[in-house]
C-alpha cells in the first residue's frame, strides 16, 4: 500500500482531524502535505457532508443538509518544484470505499446515498419538476450496488473522485468572484441561486488562522462548480487508470481531492446524484515544466480516462430530447434543455414499469447512464440522449408487445417536504 499521507479517523469530525483539510478554494491555504514528483501516495477522503446524511428511511437529512459546509476536501498537496505555467500530471492508481470498515455510520462503510435536493436548498437539474427532497440508500457488496429504495436494480460501481483540482492564483480567484457576482446580480433573488458567492460561515481553510483566515474566508471561492482548476467536475470516467493534466497556477500546484462517488450517471442530475461515500484514493504525481504553453492548456484540465476498469455495457434503452420546453416554447439550440427533456422522457418511461418518478430520477443520478449531445447544429433544435444499460435491471425493461412488466417498487424513496 502506498504511504498514507492524509489520514482520517472515522470516529472524528472533519474539523477534529490530525491534519485539517479545507472546503473553499484560496491561493493562501497552506499545503497540508508536500510530496515530490514521481511519488505515489494514499489519501483518505471524507464524504462531502462529513457524516450528516444517514443510513435510514428518512429524507429529512437531505432537506436539512448544510450546504455551507461542503466540500470536505483532503489537501492541499504541494508538489516540489511545480510552478505556475506547468502541468501537473495526476494518475489515479486506485480508489475505493473506506477500507476494512464494511458497516458503520459514515457513507463509505458498506453503504452510500443519492439525494434529490429541495429547490430551496440547492435544487437539481430537474428542480422545477422535482422540488422536494428525496433520498436513496445504496448497499455495497464488493463492487456492486443495490438499494432497498429502488429495487430490481444492481450495477457495478465506477468509483471516482467527483472533485479534484489545483489551487487558483490570486488573479484567477478574483476573476471567478467577479464573473460569478455579475451573474448573480442579473437575478439576485432566484431560487435556487444562479451561483454561490464567497461565504465565510463554516469556512475551513486548512491551517490558516487569525487575520489571514478572516481575509481568506471573505473571498475564498465555494467548491460547488467546476472551474479552470478542475474542481467539482463530477466526471464518472475519472476512475482507476485515469491520468489528468491540471494547469498549475501557484507554486507547488496545491492539489486537493474529495467528493468520492461509488457510481454516478452522466450529469449527476439530482445534484447529490452520484452514490456519495467516503474512502481512499491512491495518486501518483509528476510535473511537465512549462506544459501549459507547450500544450495550449491555459485553462481547464485535460485527461485520459481509465482503460479496462468499471462496467462494460452492450445493450441500452435510449431516450432523446430536443430544445422545446414543457410548455411548447421553441428554444434555439439549447442543449441543456434538450438533456433535461431526454431525462424526463426516461423517467416517464420507467414509471410505466411501476417505479415512482422520484425512484426513476434517483436511478438516473446514481446508475452508470450515458448522456450525450447527439446533435447541436440543426437549427432550431439540439438533440440530447440518455442511454440506460438494460442489464442493470432484473426484468426486461425494453418495449414489447406484451406491455411493461409490473414490478414491486418496494418501500419507495424517502421524501421530505417543507
Amino acid at each position: 500500500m502506498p504511504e498514507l499521507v492524509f489520514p482520517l479517523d472515522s470516529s472524528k469530525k472533519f474539523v477534529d482531524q490530525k491534519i485539517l483539510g479545507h472546503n473553499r478554494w484560496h491561493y493562501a491555504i497552506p499545503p497540508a502535505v508536500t510530496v515530490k514528483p514521481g511519488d505515489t501516495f494514499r489519501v483518505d477522503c471524507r464524504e462531502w457532508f462529513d457524516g450528516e446524511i444517514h443510513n435510514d428511511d428518512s429524507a429529512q437529512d437531505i432537506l436539512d443538509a448544510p450546504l455551507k459546509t461542503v466540500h470536505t476536501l483532503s489537501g492541499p498537496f504541494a508538489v516540489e518544484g511545480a510552478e505556475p505555467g506547468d502541468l501537473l500530471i495526476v494518475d489515479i492508481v486506485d480508489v475505493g470505499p473506506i477500507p476494512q470498515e464494511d458497516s458503520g455510520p459514515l457513507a463509505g462503510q458498506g453503504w452510500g446515498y443519492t439525494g434529490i435536493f429541495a429547490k430551496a436548498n440547492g435544487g437539481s437539474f430537474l428542480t422545477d419538476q422535482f422540488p422536494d427532497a428525496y433520498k436513496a440508500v445504496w448497499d455495497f457488496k464488493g463492487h456492486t450496488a443495490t438499494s432497498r429504495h429502488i429495487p430490481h436494480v444492481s450495477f457495478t460501481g465506477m468509483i471516482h473522485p467527483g472533485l479534484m483540482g489545483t489551487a487558483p492564483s490570486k488573479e484567477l480567484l478574483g476573476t471567478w468572484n467577479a464573473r460569478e457576482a455579475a451573474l448573480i446580480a442579473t437575478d439576485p433573488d432566484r431560487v435556487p441561486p444562479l451561483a454561490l458567492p464567497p461565504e465565510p460561515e463554516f469556512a475551513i481553510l486548512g491551517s490558516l488562522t487569525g487575520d489571514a483566515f478572516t481575509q481568506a474566508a471573505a473571498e475564498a471561492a465555494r467548491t460547488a462548480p467546476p472551474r479552470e482548476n478542475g474542481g467539482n467536475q463530477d466526471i464518472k470516467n475519472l476512475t482507476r487508470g485515469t491520468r489528468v493534466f491540471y494547469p498549475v497556477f501557484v507554486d507547488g500546484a496545491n492539489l486537493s481531492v474529495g467528493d468520492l462517488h461509488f457510481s454516478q450517471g452522466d450529469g449527476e442530475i439530482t445534484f447529490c446524484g452520484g452514490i456519495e461515500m467516503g474512502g481512499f484514493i491512491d495518486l501518483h504525481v509528476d510535473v511537465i515544466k512549462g506544459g501549459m504553453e507547450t500544450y495550449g492548456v491555459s485553462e481547464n484540465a485535460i485527461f485520459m480516462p481509465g482503460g479496462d476498469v468499471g462496467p462494460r455495457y452492450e445493450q441500452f434503452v435510449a431516450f432523446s430530447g430536443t430544445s422545446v420546453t414543457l410548455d411548447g416554447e421553441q428554444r434555439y439550440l439549447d442543449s441543456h434543455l434538450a438533456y433535461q427533456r431526454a431525462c424526463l422522457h426516461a423517467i416517464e418511461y420507467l414509471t410505466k414499469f411501476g417505479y415512482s418518478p422520484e425512484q426513476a430520477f434517483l436511478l438516473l443520478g446514481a446508475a452508470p447512464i450515458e448522456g450525450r449531445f447527439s446533435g447541436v447544429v440543426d437549427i432550431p433544435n439540439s438533440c440530447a440522449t440518455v442511454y440506460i444499460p438494460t442489464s442493470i435491471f432484473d426484468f426486461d425493461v425494453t418495449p414489447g408487445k406484451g406491455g411493461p412488466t409490473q414490478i414491486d417498487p418496494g418501500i419507495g424513496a424517502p421524501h421530505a417536504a417543507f
Side-chain angles (χ1 to χ4, degrees), residues 133-184:
Y134 287 82
K135 182 173 74 178
V137 173
W138 299 86
D139 295 309
F140 305 154
K141 186 175 182 180
H143 292 287
T144 301
T146 59
S147 175
R148 62 185 180 271
H149 298 132
I150 310 174
H152 304 285
V153 170
S154 68
F155 48 82
T156 301
M158 187 180 288
I159 302 173
H160 62 279
L163 197 161
M164 187 160 58
T166 53
S169 65
K170 182 177 182 179
E171 294 74 21
L172 184 57
L173 177 63
T175 296
W176 293 352
N177 286 339
R179 74 188 183 199
E180 291 172 26
L183 176 62
I184 293 170

Side-chain angles (χ1 to χ4, degrees), residues 43-379:
V43 176
D44 286 344
C45 296
R46 182 58 54 84
E47 170 266 329
W48 75 311
F49 271 117
D50 194 25
E52 293 292 328
I53 311 301
H54 309 127
N55 186 352
D56 58 22
D57 298 326
S58 168
Q60 191 65 37
D61 48 9
I62 295 292
L63 178 62
D64 299 333
L67 283 178
K68 293 180 182 179
T69 67
V70 297
H71 295 81
T72 50
L73 297 183
S74 299
F77 303 100
V79 181
E80 286 186 6
E83 301 173 299
D86 295 343
L87 281 179
L88 180 67
I89 305 173
V90 180
D91 291 305
I92 300 177
V93 179
D94 199 5
V95 58
I98 298 173
Q100 298 179 344
E101 297 183 53
D102 59 6
S103 65
L106 293 180
Q109 294 175 311
W111 65 280
Y113 66 90
T114 303
I116 299 172
F117 270 56
K119 185 173 183 177
N121 190 33
S124 72
F125 184 59
L126 302 175
T127 195
D128 290 333
Q129 290 77 41
F130 297 89
D132 294 342
Y134 287 82
K135 182 173 74 178
V137 173
W138 299 86
D139 295 309
F140 305 154
K141 186 175 182 180
H143 292 287
T144 301
T146 59
S147 175
R148 62 185 180 271
H149 298 132
I150 310 174
H152 304 285
V153 170
S154 68
F155 48 82
T156 301
M158 187 180 288
I159 302 173
H160 62 279
L163 197 161
M164 187 160 58
T166 53
S169 65
K170 182 177 182 179
E171 294 74 21
L172 184 57
L173 177 63
T175 296
W176 293 352
N177 286 339
R179 74 188 183 199
E180 291 172 26
L183 176 62
I184 293 170
T186 64
D187 190 358
D189 299 321
R190 185 180 186 272
V191 178
L194 289 169
L196 299 174
E199 174 54 75
E201 187 179 19
F202 298 116
I204 302 171
L205 303 174
S207 59
L208 277 184
T209 59
D211 291 342
F213 177 94
T214 301
Q215 179 179 342
E219 60 186 15
R222 302 290 293 278
T223 56
R227 298 187 180 94
E228 287 89 338
N229 67 327
N232 195 28
Q233 293 182 297
D234 289 313
I235 301 171
K236 78 176 193 297
N237 302 93
L238 294 186
T239 185
R240 290 184 299 276
T242 295
R243 171 169 286 187
V244 192
F245 302 84
Y246 286 108
V248 175
F249 303 106
V250 301
D251 287 339
N254 286 0
L255 176 74
S256 298
V257 63
D259 189 29
L260 300 187
H261 297 158
F262 189 86
S263 177
Q264 182 201 294
D266 280 338
E268 199 188 20
I269 60 176
T270 66
F271 179 59
C272 178
I275 301 180
E276 305 287 349
M277 69 172 200
F280 72 94
I281 187 167
D282 296 341
L283 301 174
H284 178 275
V285 295
D286 212 332
V287 176
I288 300 177
K289 300 302 295 181
M292 289 175 65
E293 181 177 357
T294 299
Y295 289 101
V297 185
S298 59
E299 58 181 42
N300 299 106
I302 61 176
F303 65 96
M304 300 164 61
D308 297 327
V309 177
R312 298 289 181 181
Y313 297 109
E314 296 181 354
Q315 299 294 325
F316 300 85
V317 56
F319 306 84
S320 62
T322 56
S323 45
V324 178
T325 70
L326 288 171
D327 296 328
E329 179 187 350
Q330 181 70 63
R331 299 283 179 84
Y332 179 76
L333 295 181
D334 187 338
S335 297
H336 181 273
L337 174 60
Y339 193 52
Q340 285 184 322
R341 294 303 303 271
C343 291
L344 289 170
H345 293 154
I347 290 168
E348 181 179 12
Y349 179 86
L350 291 173
T351 64
K352 301 301 183 182
F353 294 83
Y355 289 117
S356 72
E358 291 76 21
Q359 286 176 308
F361 187 21
L362 286 161
L363 178 60
L364 294 187
I369 67 166
E370 296 184 9
R372 304 178 186 178
F373 290 151
S374 302
V376 294
V377 298
D378 296 314
I379 61 172

